[in-house]
Structures are given as structure tokens and as C-alpha cells.
């Protein structure tokens, strides 16, 4: 009985502190994303950067509004030291990390502090960097591949890129086979109107190479109507910083996905070795909701990003997430991690999220899903 009362008191105390944004029991972020450069060498059809959609918040967050910027490694080191004190997972995610001149030195800075570091890449320059990434101690690499041959090339907007990426991938697999460092190689496939009917063929081809981790991402997007609905309710928050825009795929693109065909492809693969779908949906009803009822949530209906992750841009600005809003929480060149994470801007944002849970533009955002499936 006493233990039951103690547990109840703990829960009430925790709820009280959280309701008032008291940081005593607010852990530091589990995942820290780094946008190490604003440059990209692809022209992806499902990405605002690739299609040059300069009006979108996603474009502004990843490119600094179209500027050529690189993370200042020297000015970042005090922040990296702080990360070394508690060791979150670090993910080098954008815009294309292999274009960042100090990439290998940056990875080594994390590794020598025993921080797990992963990287998302389109893989175009993989062969040139594969050996160095192995030597640096990179924990995992996520390579974006959206089909075989011309299917991938058409989506990424670069003729011949598939073969170049595959050359680098085979080289990396060969190096891993001979190395004592077992880097995790993960394949990321974004489902769009151009490849939804190629999933099974793609999986079988990649599996034959000995790869064992595949994440099939249902597309992240904000339709024009989703943005309108959101801005009518919340567009004035933070002096307009909480406004949203149409992002990535348009409603016309989404309608081109034949759900019967997609359902067959998902059924063929979802329970195969190494396969993960994000979000984790595979029934016909869930697919219909995802692609036709954009105001409905799939899985959880609340966002944990302000409590669990943060993103650092090349200018040093800290954002709660890349996809949705253009809100700056602080700057790592000017403030410490704890000053930012426990600062008034984050307190205000968490209180706002705690009150509303999520927003009309959150329904098709990766932050609403499970980051552990990456």
C-alpha cells in the first residue's frame, strides 16, 4: 500500500513540474540533428530544396533561405563538448553531409567523446568517402535509394546517379567485410507517386547484396489546405514564426498513387527480414487514411520533438524540427546547450505544444512518428 501511495505521489509531482515547464526532470535531447551544410547535389522531386520551393519553411530551415553555409567546426566545439557530457545520438542529416569539407574531422570529434554518430546521405559521393567514414568510426550510414536504375534517377533528378551510388555502396560493403569496425548500413526508400509500385523489386535486389536494414518512408508532406487550416488557427504565434506552408509533394502528386497497387507492394514486404515502414502502417484502411484523409493522424496524435530532439543549422541556430516551423530557439555559437534547452523560448514552446498536443500540419510529419525506426 505504501509503495502504491509513493508511486502516485511521484506521478503527481512529475505532472506538476511538467505543467509548469520546470526543467528539473526534463532530460536533455535524445537526438541532436546537425545540418552541416546548406548545399545539395540532387534535385529530388519530393523535396522543397530539390524543387527550389523557396517559400516553404522546410526550404528556409535547410538552406538558410538559399545561402551557401557550412557549419563552423571551431565555433561548434564547446557545444560538442556539452554533448560529450551526456552522449545523445547525433545524426548528420542535411542538406548533403558528404559536401561538407570538415565532415571527417567533425565525426572524429564526436567519436572521441564516445558519442554515437549517424549520417543520412544521398550516397552520390559515397565511394570517395567510404574508407574515411569507416576509419572515422561512423556508427551508421543511411543511404537514400528510391528504386532501381532510371526509377531512382528520375526521382533524384540526376541521370546516372543510381549506378554511381551503387558503386559506392558495393565499395563500402567490401571495406566493411575487411574491417574490424562494423558500420551499420541502412537503406532509406521514400515512397512517392513515381516508385510506389517498385517496392518489392527494390527490396529483393538490395537484399541480394547482403543488406539487412530497410526503412520505407511514406511521404512527408503538407498540402495547401493543411497549411491554410493551420494558419487560420495558429499562424500568429511567435510573430508569424509558427506559420506553415505547402511542402514537398502536392495533393496532385499524392492522388497519383494507386492504393490497390501500393497495398500489394506493402503486403509483399512488410514482414520480410530487415523491413521497417514509417509510419508503421500496412492495412488497406490505414493506407487510404494516409493518402486521402490528410487531416487524420496515424498512430500517435501528439508531437514530442520539443522534449526529445533538436536541430542545429550551419548558422548555429537551433530549431525544434526541420519540417514544420521556422522558429529559432537559440544559437550554439552564442549560448550553451543548457541555456538554450532550458531557456524561455523552449519553455514557451513546450507549454504551447503541451496545451495543443499537435497541429493541422503535423499529421504527415516524421516527427509525429517513431524516430527509433530510422
Amino acid at each position: 500500500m505504501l509503495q502504491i501511495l509513493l508511486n502516485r505521489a511521484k506521478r503527481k509531482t512529475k505532472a506538476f513540474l511538467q505543467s509548469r515547464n520546470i526543467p528539473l526532470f526534463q532530460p536533455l535531447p535524445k537526438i541532436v540533428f546537425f545540418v552541416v551544410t546548406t548545399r545539395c547535389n540532387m534535385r529530388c522531386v519530393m523535396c522543397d530544396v530539390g524543387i527550389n520551393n523557396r517559400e516553404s519553411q522546410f526550404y528556409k530551415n535547410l538552406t538558410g533561405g538559399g545561402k551557401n553555409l557550412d557549419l563552423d567546426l571551431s565555433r561548434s566545439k564547446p557545444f560538442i563538448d556539452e554533448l560529450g557530457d551526456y552522449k545523445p545520438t547525433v545524426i548528420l542529416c542535411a542538406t548533403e553531409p558528404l559536401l561538407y569539407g570538415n565532415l571527417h574531422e567533425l565525426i572524429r570529434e564526436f567519436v572521441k567523446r564516445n558519442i554515437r554518430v549517424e549520417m543520412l546521405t544521398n550516397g552520390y559521393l559515397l565511394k570517395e568517402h567510404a574508407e574515411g567514414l569507416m576509419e572515422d568510426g561512423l556508427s551508421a550510414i543511411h543511404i537514400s535509394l528510391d528504386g532501381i536504375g532510371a526509377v531512382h534517377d528520375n526521382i533524384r533528378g540526376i541521370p546516372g546517379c543510381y549506378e554511381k551510388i551503387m558503386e559506392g555502396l558495393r565499395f563500402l560493403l567490401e571495406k566493411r567485410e575487411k574491417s574490424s569496425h562494423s558500420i551499420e548500413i541502412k537503406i532509406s526508400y521514400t515512397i512517392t507517386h513515381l516508385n510506389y509500385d517498385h517496392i518489392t523489386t527494390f527490396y529483393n535486389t538490395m537484399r541480394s547484396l547482403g543488406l539487412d536494414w530497410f526503412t520505407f518512408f511514406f511521404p512527408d508532406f503538407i498540402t495547401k489546405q493543411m497549411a491554410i487550416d493551420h494558419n487560420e488557427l495558429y499562424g500568429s504565434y511567435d510573430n508569424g514564426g509558427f506559420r506553415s506552408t505547402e511542402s514537398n509533394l502536392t495533393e496532385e502528386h499524392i492522388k497519383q498513387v494507386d492504393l490497390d497497387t501500393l497495398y500489394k507492394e506493402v503486403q509483399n514486404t512488410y514482414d520480410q527480414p530487415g523491413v521497417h515502414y514509417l509510419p508503421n502502417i500496412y492495412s488497406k484502411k490505414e493506407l487510404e487514411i494516409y493518402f486521402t484523409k490528410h487531416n487524420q493522424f496515424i498512430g500517435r496524435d501528439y508531437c514530442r520533438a520539443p522534449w526529445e530532439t533538436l536541430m542545429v543549422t550551419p548558422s548555429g541556430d537551433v530549431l525544434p524540427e526541420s519540417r514544420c516551423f521556422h522558429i529559432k530557439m537559440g544559437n550554439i555559437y552564442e549560448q550553451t546547450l543548457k541555456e538554450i534547452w532550458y531557456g524561455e523560448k523552449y519553455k514557451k514552446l513546450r507549454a504551447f505544444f503541451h496545451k495543443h498536443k499537435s497541429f493541422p500540419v503535423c499529421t504527415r510529419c516524421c516527427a509525429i512518428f517513431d524516430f527509433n525506426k530510422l
Side-chain angles (χ1 to χ4, degrees), residues 22 24 45 58 82 108 116-117 133 150-152 159 161 170 184 190 195 238 243 274 280 288 316 326 339 349 362 374:
I22 298 172
L24 183 61
V45 300
F58 188 57
E82 285 191 272
R108 291 193 295 269
R116 178 180 173 84
V117 57
L133 295 172
V151 175
H152 180 77
C161 68
R170 293 188 187 99
E184 299 168 21
T190 300
N195 68 355
D238 195 52
R243 290 187 63 80
N280 185 27
E288 287 176 350
H326 192 59
E339 286 172 345
L349 185 70
C362 295
L374 285 175

Side-chain angles (χ1 to χ4, degrees), residues 274-316:
V275 169
H276 310 269
Y277 276 92
L278 193 67
N280 185 27
I281 59 176
Y282 48 83
S283 73
K284 186 69 174 296
K285 182 179 179 180
E286 288 172 317
L287 292 172
E288 287 176 350
I289 291 172
Y290 195 92
F291 284 91
T292 66
K293 299 178 181 179
H294 308 145
N295 63 334
Q296 290 191 29
F297 285 88
I298 296 286
R300 73 184 189 185
D301 61 354
Y302 57 92
C303 180
R304 292 290 304 166
W307 288 270
E308 297 181 353
T309 69
L310 64 74
M311 174 169 282
V312 178
T313 71
S315 63

Side-chain angles (χ1 to χ4, degrees), residues 89-113:
T89 294
V90 165
I91 300 180
L92 313 179
C93 63
T95 296
E96 172 44 51
L98 292 180
L99 292 172
Y100 177 51
N102 290 321
L103 175 65
H104 296 284
E105 184 180 353
L106 176 63
I107 293 172
R108 291 193 295 269
E109 289 291 337
F110 290 124
V111 171
K112 74 182 183 182
R113 293 169 175 80

Side-chain angles (χ1 to χ4, degrees), residues 174-244:
E174 177 186 328
K175 291 295 179 183
R176 184 177 72 167
E177 188 70 24
K178 299 175 181 177
S179 173
S180 59
H181 176 59
S182 184
I183 185 173
E184 299 168 21
I185 302 174
K186 304 182 178 185
I187 303 300
S188 300
Y189 183 111
T190 300
I191 299 168
T192 69
H193 57 296
L194 298 176
N195 68 355
Y196 67 90
D197 53 346
H198 291 271
I199 295 172
T200 305
T201 299
F202 176 83
Y203 172 75
N204 290 336
T205 301
M206 293 296 130
R207 184 70 176 163
S208 68
L209 297 176
L211 295 164
D212 56 11
W213 187 289
F214 308 87
T215 303
F216 293 96
F217 292 89
F218 291 103
D220 294 339
F221 59 84
I222 299 172
T223 66
K224 187 177 294 184
Q225 189 59 50
M226 290 164 67
I228 291 171
D229 292 344
H230 172 87
N231 291 334
E232 286 180 352
L233 294 170
Y234 306 108
S236 62
Y237 178 80
D238 195 52
N239 297 317
F242 213 62
R243 290 187 63 80
S244 188

